[in-house]
Amino acid sequence: MGVGRIPLLLHACCGPCSLEPLRLLREEGFEPTICWSNPNIQPREEHNLRLATLREWARDVARVDVVVAGDDRDLWERAVAPHGFDRAARCRACYALRLAEACRVARERGFAHVSTTLVVSPYQLFDTCRDVLGRLAASWGLEMVWRDFRAWYPEATARSRELGMYRQSYCGCRFSAAEATIGRHEARDARKAARAARHA
Ligand code: SF4
């Protein structure tokens, strides 16, 4: 660890979303350790692929330690899945489950600061995530390090492509996979309708 740097446990949802938060937090003087707790990712093969992508980058490129914390998929089914396609309630419960585990690990390992890569993506529920992590951090006696990383999403996209990292096309759960597919179909239909209107 660098002398004078501030240890921080950084919950990470995947490799590509970790690139910019890690860089920016290091620039600020933090020394992040990454914490993986993502039992939301389905199917299991997808979960394993995202974790392997993160670990390879962490080891070979970023040189950052990764703690693989609890990944209780049964708990996710009980606590999150019943919200189904109610996205606001579902994502709040999902953030709560994953970030609670990160806070538990932070406390157990003596970190005073905790953060998450989740909000580099403009597709996440920014205010909900801040609310959830803020409450959890306070309850565990930790300081939440909250930054708006969304402006760096295009940079994260470009850098992850350059590095040849696996990039997923949906957030993680089966509901988000269905929502992403519907969104892509809607966008395609809108493009077709616009083309047809131009040629009418
Ligand atoms: S969309 Fe993402 S954050 Fe929301 S419940 Fe699904 S996996 Fe969790």
Side-chain angles (χ1 to χ4, degrees), residues 24 119-120 126 130 146-152:
L24 293 161
V119 288
V120 76
F126 186 85
R130 178 170 53 193
W146 187 261
R147 305 288 183 265
D148 187 351
F149 295 125
R150 290 174 292 181
W152 284 272

Side-chain angles (χ1 to χ4, degrees), residues 91-131:
C91 294
R92 176 175 283 276
C94 186
Y95 297 149
L97 192 150
R98 297 147 76 192
L99 296 173
E101 175 63 1
C103 287
R104 186 193 67 75
V105 169
R107 190 72 200 186
E108 183 182 85
R109 293 181 175 240
F111 288 87
H113 296 83
V114 66
S115 189
T116 179
T117 67
L118 268 168
V119 288
V120 76
S121 166
Y123 301 108
Q124 297 296 332
L125 305 182
F126 186 85
D127 293 333
T128 302
C129 192
R130 178 170 53 193
D131 182 54

Side-chain angles (χ1 to χ4, degrees), residues 40 76 80 87 90-91 94-95 98 124 171-173 176 179:
N40 54 311
W76 192 93
V80 184
R87 189 172 172 217
R90 185 186 80 221
C91 294
C94 186
Y95 297 149
R98 297 147 76 192
Q124 297 296 332
C171 181
C173 65
S176 66
E179 287 160 352

Side-chain angles (χ1 to χ4, degrees), residues 38-180:
N38 298 300
N40 54 311
I41 302 170
Q42 300 167 335
R44 189 179 284 279
E45 295 71 28
E46 174 76 16
H47 168 278
N48 295 347
L49 178 55
R50 293 190 199 182
L51 175 56
T53 302
L54 173 74
R55 291 179 108 169
E56 191 180 327
W57 162 78
R59 185 191 61 225
D60 298 343
V61 181
R63 309 218 184 285
V64 59
D65 290 336
V66 177
V67 177
V68 178
D71 252 345
D72 191 336
R73 300 172 77 81
D74 292 337
L75 180 58
W76 192 93
E77 289 297 331
R78 292 197 302 277
V80 184
H83 292 293
F85 287 97
D86 178 348
R87 189 172 172 217
R90 185 186 80 221
C91 294
R92 176 175 283 276
C94 186
Y95 297 149
L97 192 150
R98 297 147 76 192
L99 296 173
E101 175 63 1
C103 287
R104 186 193 67 75
V105 169
R107 190 72 200 186
E108 183 182 85
R109 293 181 175 240
F111 288 87
H113 296 83
V114 66
S115 189
T116 179
T117 67
L118 268 168
V119 288
V120 76
S121 166
Y123 301 108
Q124 297 296 332
L125 305 182
F126 186 85
D127 293 333
T128 302
C129 192
R130 178 170 53 193
D131 182 54
V132 169
L133 183 57
R135 287 167 192 262
L136 285 166
S139 74
W140 283 94
L142 299 164
E143 187 173 328
M144 171 176 73
V145 175
W146 187 261
R147 305 288 183 265
D148 187 351
F149 295 125
R150 290 174 292 181
W152 284 272
Y153 186 68
E155 182 70 14
T157 302
R159 280 185 65 210
S160 57
R161 285 207 175 107
E162 278 166 25
L163 288 165
M165 294 172 98
Y166 168 68
R167 296 178 43 78
Q168 61 271 10
S169 59
Y170 62 101
C171 181
C173 65
R174 56 187 178 276
F175 304 103
S176 66
E179 287 160 352

